[in-house]
Amino acid sequence: MVKGGTLASLALVMAGIASPAFATAQTVQAAETVRTASPAGGGDCKAKEDSTWDPRAVGAQAGPRGGDECEGTQGPTGPTGPRGPQGEPGEDGQDGATGATGATGATGATGATGATGATGAGACVDVDAVRDNNDREFKAALTPDGITYAGVREVQNTTVGPWIWYDLTTNEDGDYPPGACGVSISHQANRLEIEVITQTGTIWDTFCNVVPGTPDTLTCDGVWTEADPEPAPGDPPPPLRAHAQPIRPMDPNHLPKALK
């Protein structure tokens, strides 16, 4: 058997050498068999896959499209996938440059005048004094806190006693005028009159009695009375009196010569 098979193979070789046409026909047939691979991966690609395909060598056998030489044509691009979730907000950008100053707007209308506020303490201060003889002195004072005082002190030659002051606003029923702004004092027959004028122009007065002693003191009831009537613009002046010159006796030495 071995000898027969060997002889048969040798006979074929010799036949191929002896007949080039036969060899060429065999080669063409083999080439046509390789070229007729079907697009679906049949033919020799299928045989190759069955006999020589190695998944580890796919990368080495990949063609320009990423597949092996038996891979079919690339299909159409699939539809766009759904939008992914929104990312986290980015960091704030830097502030832009300050813009140019705009034009000045028109002046608004003048607002209404507000109500007059209350008079503050210390709005007015004043003082007045009277000294009708050489042994005592009287004084009226309006201090920054709006209080009116009457005072008396003893004066004996070069000895001057301390002032004794009386608050003329302590009587709750005295009707002390609010807003007093000026003060004056007068004295007659051991009776003092203290007057004030307010910021609104009204005049008020009160009285103190002098109690003689060593030293003299005062008795003040602190009751204030508004002047009636108050002064008003256009009040007429008092009527003028005609003053006749007094008749003086004539000095005889100055009589005319005709009358001497």
Side-chain angles (χ1 to χ4, degrees):
M1 288 296 291
V2 173
K3 291 181 180 181
T6 302
L7 291 176
S9 299
L10 182 60
L12 290 174
V13 171
M14 292 304 291
I17 294 174
S19 180
F22 177 80
T24 301
Q26 293 295 327
T27 303
V28 171
Q29 183 179 4
E32 289 177 355
T33 302
V34 172
R35 292 191 185 96
T36 56
S38 65
D44 61 342
C45 289
K46 180 66 175 178
K48 181 179 177 181
E49 180 180 354
D50 294 340
S51 60
T52 63
W53 183 78
D54 185 357
R56 296 173 295 178
V58 171
Q61 298 173 358
R65 296 192 301 271
D68 61 24
E69 61 185 357
C70 295
E71 184 177 334
T73 59
Q74 184 175 356
T77 303
T80 304
R83 182 186 296 271
Q86 184 174 356
E88 295 292 334
E91 296 182 357
D92 293 341
Q94 295 182 350
D95 294 338
T98 302
T101 303
T104 303
T107 303
T110 303
T113 303
T116 303
T119 302
C124 299
V125 292
D126 198 11
V127 67
D128 192 23
V130 59
R131 184 175 180 180
D132 56 355
N133 52 43
N134 62 356
D135 62 350
R136 60 189 179 184
E137 181 179 8
F138 306 103
K139 186 169 290 186
L142 176 61
T143 56
D145 53 7
I147 296 177
T148 299
Y149 296 89
V152 59
R153 70 174 177 177
E154 198 170 10
V155 180
Q156 296 291 339
N157 298 325
T158 58
T159 302
V160 179
W163 282 101
I164 302 174
W165 293 104
Y166 299 84
D167 185 345
L168 303 181
T169 66
T170 56
N171 189 335
E172 295 181 359
D173 299 326
D175 293 330
Y176 180 71
C181 199
V183 68
S184 67
I185 188 171
S186 60
H187 170 254
Q188 184 177 12
N190 286 335
R191 185 171 175 85
L192 297 175
E193 182 180 11
I194 299 93
E195 296 178 286
V196 298
I197 187 169
T198 68
Q199 292 178 327
T200 58
T202 58
I203 298 173
W204 296 72
D205 64 3
T206 188
F207 295 90
C208 294
N209 293 321
V210 179
V211 181
T214 307
D216 290 350
T217 58
L218 302 179
T219 300
C220 305
D221 58 13
V223 175
W224 291 84
T225 304
E226 183 179 355
D228 184 21
E230 292 283 356
D235 284 346
L240 297 177
R241 294 182 180 181
H243 295 285
Q245 292 295 330
I247 299 175
R248 298 177 180 178
M250 186 174 292
D251 187 349
N253 296 324
H254 292 83
L255 291 175
K257 292 181 179 181
L259 298 175
K260 288 183 179 178

